[in-house]
Amino acid sequence: MKRIIIDREKCDGCLNCNVACISAHEEGSNFYTVNLGSVDSETRNFIKFDAKTGYTPIFCRHCDEPECVLSCMSGAMEKDPVTGHVKYDESKCAACYMCVMNCPFGVLKPDNKTRTKVIKCDFCEEKQDGPSCVKACPKQAIEVKEVSR
Amino acid sequence: MKIVIIGASAAGISAAKTIKVAEPDTQIVVISKEDSIHSRCMLHKYLGHERDAKGINFVHENFFAENNITWLKNTTVVDLDTDKKFVRTNDNQAIYFDKLLIATGASYFIPPIPGLREAKNVYGFRDLKDAQLLDSECKTAKNAVVIGAGLVGMDAAVALLERGLKVTVIEMMNGIMGLQLDEKSAEAYQQLFEEHGAEFLLSDKVTSVNIDEAGKGRTIHLASGKSVCADVIVIAAGVRPSFDFVEKSDIATKNAILVGDDLQTNIKGIYAAGDVIGISGIWPNAMKQGKIAAINMLGEKLRYEDRYALKNTTNFYGLTTLSLGNINPKPKESFDVLIREDRNNYQKVVMKNGIILGVIIQGNINSTGFWQYLIKNKIDVSGIDKDVFDLSYADFYKVDSISGEYLYAI
Ligand SMILES: Cc1cc2nc3c(=O)[nH]c(=O)nc-3n(C[C@H](O)[C@H](O)[C@H](O)COP(=O)(O)OP(=O)(O)OC[C@H]3O[C@@H](n4cnc5c(N)ncnc54)[C@H](O)[C@@H]3O)c2cc1C
């Protein structure tokens, strides 16, 4: 399967990945028009920063053994047997947030505005040329690679 | 090989899925006494008319056909013969197996309070059938009483309020969701429920129920001397593992079906998973147990190790809470209890000697999944020089260089 491989050393915390993610999930927006101040603007990837740890890119791993899928009581989270990616179906989700609790890496979160869905990486599945965050990274700190399952 | 699975809920379905992925040629028969697949965790959405029965199904519409699994619905297992290896059903079929998984979950319990068991308008809130019966009561009833303010009771209350009933919740403890919340975080929910019309009678106990000519429980008497009127009563005072049908067999039980680390019972080839084994009562654990039992039934040797079950998330009226572990430590003095709050958030961490024992995060629960890992693995955080509330997965970050998956650096 394809996974976004992270090289933490290369990350300089520019947050282009965040902007690209928000824009990719906002109909009709691009880097210049995306409204970062809107409550709807939610990034699916995060860069944590503090003096001790430096920049830490936290991106959904679409895990081989996804705890989010195993904790989902509505069937909204599913590992796609073909792509290996963990897909999320908002219409099924009951917003119980067991997945938020069970993701050991703290990747998942409720949406800020309504708390009725989960904000989750979809690997930009609808885009021909792959995840938007990867395309936006000027440092090649994140790259799509084929990994075995 | 032929595997029979009794139960078509979290544990049973997760086992069936696992087997079909690993060894698609295995013959599987799933038996359930219900006629639909549904997630109990969404019953309140059904009763509240937010979703129909299809909307609370947690598998694909054609799950059984797609996976070539035989599903005997509306079928109750009444007996088990461990020698000849078959189960007997209510319609007197003998279903033979090479291996068996018991995933029959739990059932609600009506305490032996005078009048309560006899009353015809008392319902549990466990199966779709319960929700359907309640649904038809809701068409005429005006006053609902919910006995028990745990998660199940509050799920029922939220739906009944949604349907416009006047809802009174009776609870023995002095706060709602007493196993998941502390005083402060419980008050936040209580206030929200009250704003939506609920009334609470806390630190009180039902002593008897008066029954009218029609056999309905109408007046509920409490230890405090108070009484409440009811058209419909929901009992949410706990559940018990359900395994009647093994009683005549030699399967070892003790209030639950006993299993080893491999989730096998005392009888070789017979496994059990989910609420019926009595070590947890939550969906994620039932799913994982079903998966591990399935893998072992196929001949692997996997142990059920991720046993941590003191965990929950709550989401009522958009107020979200994560709660883990020991959140009301006693005596308080011998623990470090740290609190951080602002107008939208309440956070509490219970620690001892650098080990986190309990956490409540109410409000913003973004990216809080790492807390469970720290608690269940008893990770010492005393060496990390920062405010405990500022911890995140970044403090334990590690990447597997080949797979790119995350690990914990500890
Ligand atoms: C209202 C409510 C809300 C909940 N909310 C949450 C939540 O938000 N998060 C969470 O983690 N957990 C929640 N839970 C708990 C969760 O639903 C259970 O832990 C989970 O369903 C356990 O799954 P299980 O497969 O072990 O058994 P069950 O779900 O109890 O299913 C048992 C299955 O066995 C079948 N069965 C039983 N006896 C027989 C028999 N003799 N013959 C044939 N079939 C039989 C039944 O038909 C059913 O298919 C909730 C529970 C309730 C009732």
Side-chain angles (χ1 to χ4, degrees):
Chain A
M1 66 174 272
K2 289 189 165 62
R3 184 170 277 141
I4 296 172
I5 299 297
I6 303 162
D7 186 345
R8 183 198 209 171
E9 304 307 315
K10 287 186 184 158
C11 176
D12 69 358
C14 72
L15 297 180
N16 271 320
C17 51
N18 282 195
V19 178
C21 181
I22 293 169
S23 162
H25 295 89
E26 196 175 283
E27 194 116 1
S29 93
N30 61 42
F31 191 86
Y32 298 97
T33 61
V34 63
N35 178 2
L36 295 178
S38 158
V39 67
D40 294 313
S41 296
E42 301 226 47
T43 170
R44 285 140 178 80
N45 49 48
F46 311 94
I47 309 289
K48 294 269 182 196
F49 173 74
D50 69 43
K52 266 195 112 116
T53 53
Y55 299 107
T56 308
I58 299 190
F59 285 58
C60 177
R61 302 290 75 211
H62 296 272
C63 296
D64 292 349
E65 292 288 337
E67 289 286 344
C68 54
V69 174
L70 217 46
S71 63
C72 182
M73 54 80 155
S74 69
M77 292 275 180
E78 245 187 352
K79 191 160 174 79
D80 188 310
V82 179
T83 63
H85 294 144
V86 174
K87 295 199 294 195
Y88 167 66
D89 180 347
E90 194 179 303
S91 70
K92 284 192 183 156
C93 177
C96 74
Y97 299 134
M98 281 284 174
C99 57
V100 172
M101 170 180 87
N102 264 16
C103 170
F105 315 113
V107 177
L108 300 179
K109 65 187 285 287
D111 73 301
N112 284 332
K113 189 175 176 181
T114 65
R115 303 245 163 102
T116 58
K117 52 193 180 202
V118 176
I119 300 298
K120 155 108 185 47
C121 168
D122 54 7
F123 219 81
C124 288
E125 220 101 75
E126 280 161 22
K127 300 213 159 32
Q128 297 292 319
D129 47 353
S132 308
C133 51
V134 172
K135 286 176 278 175
C137 179
K139 293 284 180 181
Q140 281 84 49
I142 42 176
E143 279 180 313
V144 173
K145 287 193 181 145
E146 190 68 33
V147 293
S148 64
R149 271 196 267 170
Chain B
M1 182 164 64
K2 179 174 173 189
I3 293 181
V4 170
I5 298 173
I6 319 174
S9 183
I13 295 287
S14 133
K17 270 190 184 170
T18 306
I19 295 166
K20 280 295 169 182
V21 170
E23 287 184 26
D25 294 336
T26 313
Q27 188 191 347
I28 302 181
V29 178
V30 173
I31 308 174
S32 75
K33 62 178 180 193
E34 296 164 299
D35 64 357
S36 76
I37 303 299
H38 59 269
S39 170
R40 325 184 173 280
C41 318
M42 292 194 282
L43 285 181
H44 60 292
K45 294 198 181 275
Y46 177 86
L47 182 57
H49 283 186
E50 198 184 315
R51 294 193 186 185
D52 58 11
K54 233 178 173 176
I56 64 167
N57 183 343
F58 66 98
V59 295
H60 292 182
E61 209 173 334
N62 299 317
F63 174 78
F64 292 103
E66 272 168 18
N67 289 287
N68 195 17
I69 296 170
T70 307
W71 177 31
L72 303 178
K73 57 182 173 180
N74 268 327
T75 307
T76 304
V77 171
V78 292
D79 211 355
L80 163 63
D81 189 325
T82 56
D83 279 338
K84 301 201 185 84
K85 291 196 173 180
F86 71 85
V87 295
R88 186 161 303 280
T89 64
N90 59 324
D91 51 355
N92 212 20
Q93 299 181 65
I95 318 273
Y96 286 84
F97 57 83
D98 296 314
K99 291 201 173 145
L100 176 71
L101 177 66
I102 301 172
T104 43
S107 326
Y108 64 87
F109 168 78
I110 306 183
I113 294 167
L116 195 61
R117 285 190 178 167
E118 298 79 9
K120 286 184 186 148
N121 56 340
V122 174
Y123 301 92
F125 198 51
R126 179 81 195 177
D127 299 335
L128 182 58
K129 199 176 75 232
D130 298 324
Q132 284 164 340
L133 292 170
L134 274 166
D135 183 44
S136 58
E137 287 275 3
C138 280
K139 288 176 187 133
T140 52
K142 292 199 166 59
N143 300 298
V145 171
V146 176
I147 303 174
L151 282 172
V152 172
M154 298 321 288
D155 267 5
V158 93
L160 294 166
L161 287 165
E162 193 63 35
R163 295 291 294 281
L165 275 76
K166 185 176 173 299
V167 178
T168 307
V169 182
I170 302 168
E171 166 60 44
M172 280 197 309
M173 293 173 86
N174 62 1
I176 67 173
M177 295 182 272
L179 299 177
Q180 288 83 28
L181 303 174
D182 67 352
E183 197 182 326
K184 172 109 188 168
S185 51
E187 269 170 13
Y189 279 113
Q190 188 176 333
Q191 202 180 333
L192 278 172
F193 273 91
E194 283 167 350
E195 282 165 17
H196 287 82
E199 264 183 55
F200 290 91
L201 295 168
L202 304 176
S203 309
D204 214 339
K205 233 159 90 173
V206 178
T207 51
S208 67
V209 177
N210 277 16
I211 298 180
D212 69 6
E213 321 72 74
K216 290 193 165 186
R218 287 296 185 188
T219 316
I220 297 174
H221 297 285
L222 303 176
S224 62
K226 288 179 194 154
S227 62
V228 198
C229 287
D231 301 316
V232 57
I233 301 169
V234 178
I235 182 78
V239 296
R240 304 270 186 279
S242 42
F243 52 85
D244 302 352
F245 62 93
V246 306
E247 251 143 42
K248 280 185 271 157
S249 76
D250 43 2
I251 299 265
T253 63
K254 196 180 171 192
N255 303 321
I257 291 190
L258 299 177
V259 289
D261 275 349
D262 56 355
L263 303 180
Q264 194 166 205
T265 65
N266 60 317
I267 307 293
K268 204 166 169 270
I270 301 184
Y271 292 72
D275 285 10
V276 75
I277 64 173
I279 60 177
S280 64
I282 53 173
W283 191 271
N285 292 33
M287 293 268 284
K288 198 172 247 185
Q289 289 160 16
K291 180 169 180 173
I292 289 176
I295 292 170
N296 288 339
M297 289 168 99
L298 295 176
E300 301 272 325
K301 287 207 161 39
L302 212 60
R303 284 151 57 94
Y304 178 60
E305 280 168 340
D306 184 16
R307 288 169 172 263
Y308 201 76
L310 288 172
K311 53 182 181 185
N312 242 302
T313 45
T314 316
N315 182 11
F316 289 117
Y317 302 114
L319 177 63
T320 42
T321 306
L322 165 80
S323 56
L324 298 165
N326 182 2
I327 45 164
N328 289 310
K330 286 190 185 83
K332 222 164 133 185
E333 302 72 55
S334 46
F335 297 85
D336 298 322
V337 179
L338 311 166
I339 293 198
R340 181 163 88 172
E341 55 188 320
D342 61 35
R343 59 190 288 271
N344 296 319
N345 295 284
Y346 171 69
Q347 306 178 328
K348 172 175 177 175
V349 171
V350 177
M351 300 178 69
K352 193 164 184 159
N353 305 325
I355 311 282
I356 300 165
L357 303 170
V359 170
I360 295 176
I361 309 276
Q362 186 168 63
N364 181 342
I365 61 163
N366 293 1
S367 310
T368 48
F370 73 97
W371 287 107
Q372 182 189 168
Y373 192 92
L374 300 188
I375 294 180
K376 73 183 172 194
N377 293 296
K378 302 191 176 65
I379 292 167
D380 189 346
V381 298
S382 55
I384 304 173
D385 182 23
K386 63 162 75 161
D387 188 332
V388 67
F389 292 109
D390 292 332
L391 290 175
S392 77
Y393 169 63
D395 296 295
F396 310 94
Y397 187 87
K398 192 175 165 181
V399 175
D400 182 292
S401 57
I402 296 164
S403 70
E405 291 212 273
Y406 285 149
L407 304 167
Y408 263 75
I410 33 169

